Amino acid sequence: MSYKIGVIPGDGIGHEVIPEALKVIAATGVSLDTVDYDLGGERYLRDGIVLTDDTIAEWRGLDALLLGAVGTPEVPPGVIERGLLLKMRFDLDLYVNQRPFLAPDGSHDFIVIRENTEGTYAGEGGFLRKGTPAEIATQGSVNTRMGVERCIRYAFELAASRERKHLTMVHKTNVLTFAGDLWDRTFNEVAAEYPAVSTAYNHVDAACIYFVENPQRYDVIVTDNLFGDILTDLAGAVSGGIGFASSGNLNPDRTSPSMFEPVHGSAPDIAGQNKANPVAAILSAAMMLEFLGETDAGARIRAACADTESLVGSTTEVGDLVASRV
């Protein structure tokens, strides 16, 4: 069986780490039929194209998407983020962002489930009297019962499948009394359906402290879009660095293809020097294979990447080493 995969190298080091991820997949024996897409900041600077509806429609016929990294310093902030990344998430309904974190020494192993299509990233807000001394800017957080519940339910299902069977909700319910109340009530109602899963709640500021001082306390975490964005970067920092941090933007209902990407950015300062760490992209590829049902191949890639201290060298050398281990 061959899977039809859309490949978006993007910008900067994306063009270097994605070939290594594809090399490792090939070493597993899983067959891919890849379709390349030239998207990102560099494409935008050439012709003003970010992401068209026609491309989104074409993607609906694919099994998955693999993204390298996007963004260039010459493009104003928000153009690529909203026009490409968020458009992908919203139009393809990639409502779960799943990011696993395993410490190199094995001291902690947890997964963050971030709601991926609502919250402050939904784009609600605007300006009044912009450019004047009396300017007002508002930025709302959009939370629906459907969006919150489906994310929380996914997190409970994931926690139930793991050995520790523990789920922590992270929010700021003492200050965000409307959105927090919706999240809290939904979490408790869904929890009643999963008696085998133990639960806890942390304020987001406390969770930041625990991530640094005692990450072993966590198994699965579920949180909203903004808090999840911040927490997962911190989690990468305490789990070996973002060069090892993988992620999946998932449509668990499989009504559209899911997208997999390393957490790091395009790193223009080291682009083209064959020195970027490809492991995050390789582990994202492993997540993609697992989501497609190729669990053995995904597990082999994870095992090949487990000894992170030995994964040294240039981008291509690390890719070759992981491929040889697979």
Side-chain angles (χ1 to χ4, degrees):
M1 179 177 180
S2 183
Y3 299 96
K4 194 167 186 178
I5 306 299
V7 177
I8 312 161
D11 301 309
I13 63 171
H15 291 278
E16 300 169 63
V17 298
I18 287 300
E20 302 310 309
L22 295 174
K23 177 195 299 180
V24 172
I25 292 175
T28 69
V30 174
S31 176
L32 301 184
D33 177 13
T34 60
V35 183
D36 293 332
Y37 292 91
D38 177 15
L39 297 170
E42 295 168 9
R43 169 69 185 276
Y44 174 77
L45 290 172
R46 286 202 309 273
D47 59 17
I49 298 295
V50 181
L51 176 59
T52 67
D53 290 338
D54 287 344
T55 299
I56 289 284
E58 186 175 323
W59 283 349
R60 295 187 185 279
L62 303 178
D63 294 307
L65 296 160
L66 184 62
L67 172 70
V70 293
T72 57
E74 298 83 5
V75 179
V79 173
I80 302 302
E81 292 84 355
R82 297 208 67 87
L84 177 59
L85 296 177
L86 293 188
K87 182 176 175 62
M88 291 173 70
R89 295 173 188 174
F90 296 156
D91 288 11
L92 298 176
D93 201 21
L94 308 180
Y95 63 84
V96 164
N97 184 279
Q98 180 167 323
R99 298 189 182 184
F101 298 97
L102 175 64
D105 62 1
S107 61
H108 64 261
D109 175 5
F110 63 87
I111 299 174
V112 178
I113 299 302
R114 163 190 170 190
E115 199 289 315
N116 212 30
T117 59
E118 297 188 347
T120 51
Y121 289 26
E124 191 275 332
F127 292 100
L128 291 173
R129 299 186 289 275
K130 186 175 182 181
T132 75
E135 180 173 347
I136 299 171
T138 63
Q139 192 80 58
S141 178
V142 177
N143 300 265
T144 68
R145 171 65 190 229
M146 180 195 76
V148 171
E149 181 173 342
R150 65 184 183 175
C151 180
I152 287 174
R153 192 171 294 280
Y154 179 90
F156 268 104
E157 288 286 338
L158 178 62
S161 71
R162 287 167 61 88
E163 183 177 354
R164 289 177 60 188
K165 301 185 187 305
H166 187 272
L167 178 62
T168 303
M169 188 184 91
V170 173
H171 210 280
K172 191 67 174 174
T173 57
N174 59 336
V175 176
L176 304 178
T177 53
F178 303 122
D181 183 70
L182 173 58
W183 272 82
D184 190 52
R185 283 184 288 110
T186 306
F187 184 81
N188 291 332
E189 290 170 20
V190 175
E193 302 177 32
Y194 295 86
V197 177
S198 59
T199 62
Y201 170 79
N202 292 161
H203 290 323
V204 64
D205 44 349
C208 289
I209 296 172
Y210 299 146
F211 269 33
V212 174
E213 295 184 346
N214 184 28
Q216 297 83 3
R217 69 189 293 147
Y218 294 114
D219 181 22
V220 179
I221 296 165
V222 64
T223 189
D224 84 343
N225 209 336
L226 177 60
F227 295 149
D229 195 358
I230 297 167
L231 283 173
T232 50
D233 281 355
L234 177 57
V238 301
S239 303
I242 59 173
F244 297 98
S246 59
S247 76
N249 298 268
L250 309 180
N251 178 307
D253 305 325
R254 300 177 189 268
T255 57
S256 59
S258 294
M259 185 268 282
F260 302 84
E261 60 174 330
V263 173
H264 61 67
S266 58
D269 57 321
I270 62 169
Q273 300 177 44
N274 196 27
K275 61 195 297 185
N277 185 348
V279 174
I282 292 169
L283 290 173
S284 297
M287 289 186 69
M288 180 180 74
L289 294 182
E290 290 165 345
F291 193 77
L292 292 172
E294 299 288 347
T295 54
D296 176 68
R300 285 157 55 199
I301 293 175
R302 291 190 185 283
C305 294
D307 182 11
T308 55
E309 291 186 356
S310 68
L311 297 176
V312 294
S314 68
T315 306
T316 51
E317 287 171 342
V318 172
D320 289 342
L321 179 58
V322 175
S324 69
R325 292 177 178 178
V326 167

